[in-house]
Amino acid sequence: MSLRPPPRIKVLEALGAVVDGRVRQVGEGRCEVVSSEGDRTYRVVVEGEFAYSDDNGTLHRGYVGYPILACLMAEGRLPVDAELGKKLRGIPWRRLNEQYRRYEEVLRHIYAERGIDRQRAEVYINEVLRRLSAMRLKFKKVESS
């Protein structure tokens, strides 16, 4: 099954995980990604065109979840915007998603609160999604060692 592109906000959530130091590479194409609340650790495996993560977006909604994006960023396979990343440090993503209930509202809040240039962020998101689409990732449960 091909994984769908993620909601745009997930690119920023993944970048936040990288700059927060919540992504640990445990082997080639293998990472552990700690949630923004620190209460969950997601296992990620990317092998060739196959990807697996035990986050809800990947498992239950069929899109490339932010842990997969974060792992690909940490490995240098997707771009990292360090300057934008600095503004995304310490964001409680799950709490904001539950509070606002719509990703577009969360984005508005984050852009305003953190002084993020929306146009610049959108250019970055577009580039990440363009490169991700070229990977054509498919879901496959793979063992993480």
Side-chain angles (χ1 to χ4, degrees):
M1 167 186 85
S2 289
L3 288 167
R4 292 181 289 113
R8 299 176 66 76
I9 195 171
K10 298 300 178 180
V11 173
L12 300 182
E13 194 169 347
L15 180 59
V18 172
V19 299
D20 281 344
R22 295 186 283 113
V23 182
R24 185 168 74 93
Q25 292 178 268
V26 294
E28 189 176 334
R30 289 165 160 44
C31 297
E32 291 178 348
V33 180
V34 177
S35 69
S36 62
E37 312 269 321
D39 60 343
R40 298 177 190 172
T41 299
Y42 301 109
R43 293 178 312 122
V44 178
V45 180
V46 181
E47 292 178 343
E49 65 182 7
F50 296 104
Y52 170 79
S53 174
D54 54 0
D55 68 281
N56 287 334
T58 304
L59 282 180
H60 303 298
R61 296 190 183 96
Y63 62 75
V64 177
Y66 89 87
I68 294 172
L69 294 170
C71 186
L72 292 168
M73 288 175 183
E75 290 191 333
R77 295 174 60 191
L78 287 176
V80 171
D81 182 326
E83 187 178 324
L84 176 59
K86 287 178 190 174
K87 295 184 176 193
L88 298 172
R89 282 204 162 107
I91 291 178
W93 293 97
R94 187 173 67 195
R95 183 176 62 74
L96 291 176
N97 289 336
E98 290 170 356
Q99 178 181 345
Y100 290 100
R101 300 203 178 270
R102 292 186 57 233
Y103 290 145
E104 186 55 38
E105 294 301 317
V106 175
L107 282 175
R108 265 194 215 107
H109 170 80
I110 289 169
Y111 290 159
E113 179 186 75
R114 300 292 177 112
I116 294 171
D117 177 343
R118 182 181 190 109
Q119 183 177 353
R120 179 163 184 252
E122 292 295 320
V123 167
Y124 171 69
I125 292 168
N126 288 341
E127 179 61 16
V128 169
L129 293 178
R130 184 187 69 75
R131 291 190 192 188
L132 179 68
S133 71
M135 294 179 188
R136 303 183 198 285
L137 295 176
K138 296 175 181 66
F139 179 82
K140 180 180 179 184
K141 174 99 167 104
V142 286
E143 293 302 315
S144 63
S145 38

